[in-house]
Amino acid sequence: MKQTKGINTADFDYLRQLVHQHSAVVLDGDKTYLAELHLQPIAEAAGFETITELVAYLRHQPVSNLHIQAIEALVTNETSFFRDTYPFEALKKLVLPELIKKRRIERSLNIWCAACSHGQEPYSIAILLREYFPLLANWSVKIIASDFSGKVLERAKAGRYNQLEIKRGLPKNLRDRYFKLLDNEWQIQDEIRQKIEFRQMNLVHPWAVLPQIDIIMLRNVLIYFDINTKKNLLTKVRQQLNPDGYLFLGSGETTINLHQSFERVQFDKSIFYRLRPVGLDNAIALGQ
């Protein structure tokens, strides 16, 4: 019988170190079940009977595709369509109308989903734009979707979802309008899929060339990083975000006590962030 349970502390500590070294994600010490659940198939596919044998091999080999597979398997990719609802209501009712008014001359808009997982978030935004802002059809609208995991991005690019995934957050009328059923999976329309530019990016490494962004969706990402990584990441976000742009974080995340350049905005039940005016930012930095 294959041993799928009982990964020892030393092996799990090695995996935690491996994940942190290559992704900066801090894997909690009580998440051994992630290794037991997700690494056994990788071990078997690589010819090992147990996770213990897999880890013993990884310890003594240069970083390879097998290491990357293990890291990707341990990094959470939880997401859903229109996740948490309220941020998308804020986009629809306040943020996008405001930015459209400000960008009416240049007629361009850049949106970045900085940890897109299987693609539900960028596709939700593309659907929202199509549903409520038809005038943007004549604009230059760029939706960039990035993720650390190449495997995850391949799924996102395909735009195919099982019945459970499609039910999570997606109203039936939007499902029927923008998806078609193929072999028991729901395929998003090519017209929507082609609006997304997918990129593989590790947020803790130097960023590839990006345009200045109007809306950055960095939701449910900071919670996985240590304090210094969070601060460094927010510094990079500040440089990438247009002065009048907006940053969306997860409901349990904040910039407070991490970075003074951002101010909190509340709209209905949604909380998001924008850059402080430059003068105020400098005053805070000087302790005034």
Side-chain angles (χ1 to χ4, degrees):
M1 179 181 292
K2 294 181 174 60
Q3 301 174 31
T4 59
K5 301 292 182 182
I7 183 169
N8 65 53
T9 301
D11 283 350
F12 190 59
D13 284 345
Y14 164 78
L15 292 169
R16 293 175 67 199
Q17 182 181 14
L18 182 69
V19 168
H20 187 264
Q21 180 180 353
H22 292 278
S23 72
V25 169
V26 177
L27 198 62
D28 292 341
D30 61 354
K31 296 293 179 67
T32 55
Y33 68 90
L34 283 177
E36 294 164 356
L37 179 65
H38 297 301
L39 291 186
Q40 187 64 32
I42 293 174
E44 292 178 9
F48 302 103
E49 288 196 359
T50 66
I51 297 172
T52 299
E53 292 177 5
L54 170 66
V55 172
Y57 176 83
L58 295 177
R59 283 179 182 274
H60 298 98
Q61 298 296 321
V63 175
S64 64
N65 184 57
L66 192 56
H67 290 79
I68 300 302
Q69 287 183 53
I71 293 165
E72 291 182 348
L74 293 171
V75 175
T76 303
N77 292 303
E78 173 67 20
T79 189
S80 61
F81 289 99
F82 297 97
R83 185 176 181 178
D84 302 326
T85 306
Y86 300 119
F88 294 93
E89 288 297 305
L91 285 173
K92 180 175 71 173
K93 295 178 180 178
L94 176 70
V95 172
L96 283 166
E98 181 179 290
L99 286 172
I100 288 170
K101 192 179 298 183
K102 291 179 177 179
R103 304 288 188 271
R104 63 187 181 279
I105 304 300
E106 58 264 44
R107 297 164 67 87
S108 69
L109 198 62
N110 295 322
I111 301 169
W112 178 26
C113 298
C116 71
S117 188
H118 293 138
Q120 286 95 324
E121 182 177 78
Y123 287 137
S124 295
I125 291 174
I127 289 171
L128 185 147
L129 296 182
R130 177 70 179 275
E131 282 286 299
Y132 298 102
F133 302 97
L135 65 87
L136 292 178
N138 297 318
W139 284 38
S140 172
V141 178
K142 185 184 289 290
I143 303 175
I144 298 169
S146 68
D147 201 272
F148 157 77
S149 169
K151 181 179 179 181
V152 162
L153 278 177
E154 286 304 312
R155 274 212 61 201
K157 289 177 185 178
R160 295 188 71 160
Y161 301 95
N162 61 37
Q163 193 67 36
L164 178 61
E165 291 169 325
I166 210 74
K167 283 183 175 180
R168 295 191 63 197
L170 187 67
K172 184 177 182 298
N173 65 313
L174 296 182
R175 182 200 70 184
D176 293 343
R177 195 171 303 160
Y178 294 105
F179 292 80
K180 57 184 177 181
L181 189 60
L182 292 175
D183 301 325
N184 295 318
E185 289 188 317
W186 291 90
Q187 172 72 60
I188 198 163
Q189 286 181 356
D190 284 346
E191 184 178 354
I192 299 297
R193 186 166 59 88
Q194 291 166 3
K195 291 183 180 297
I196 316 298
E197 178 186 331
F198 290 98
R199 299 187 184 186
Q200 186 169 4
M201 284 181 61
N202 188 325
L203 293 175
V204 300
H205 291 170
W207 292 355
V209 176
L210 289 167
Q212 287 301 111
I213 305 294
D214 299 299
I215 300 170
I216 296 180
M217 309 295 284
L218 189 69
R219 303 178 61 220
N220 306 297
V221 177
L222 294 183
I223 55 174
Y224 296 109
F225 297 142
D226 59 36
I227 295 295
N228 286 335
T229 302
K230 291 176 182 179
K231 290 180 177 179
N232 291 336
L233 189 52
L234 287 171
T235 296
K236 293 161 76 173
V237 166
R238 183 193 187 283
Q239 296 166 350
Q240 203 66 54
L241 189 65
N242 270 324
D244 57 355
Y246 288 93
L247 167 67
F248 283 78
L249 301 177
S251 59
E253 300 170 320
T254 181
T255 65
I256 296 172
N257 297 325
L258 290 174
H259 209 289
Q260 63 193 13
S261 296
F262 297 91
E263 62 181 9
R264 184 177 181 268
V265 180
Q266 182 162 357
F267 176 78
D268 195 10
K269 296 182 180 180
S270 180
I271 294 171
F272 43 97
Y273 300 85
R274 61 188 172 199
L275 293 174
R276 297 181 187 276
V278 174
L280 181 59
D281 193 10
N282 291 338
I284 293 173
L286 293 171
Q288 299 176 358

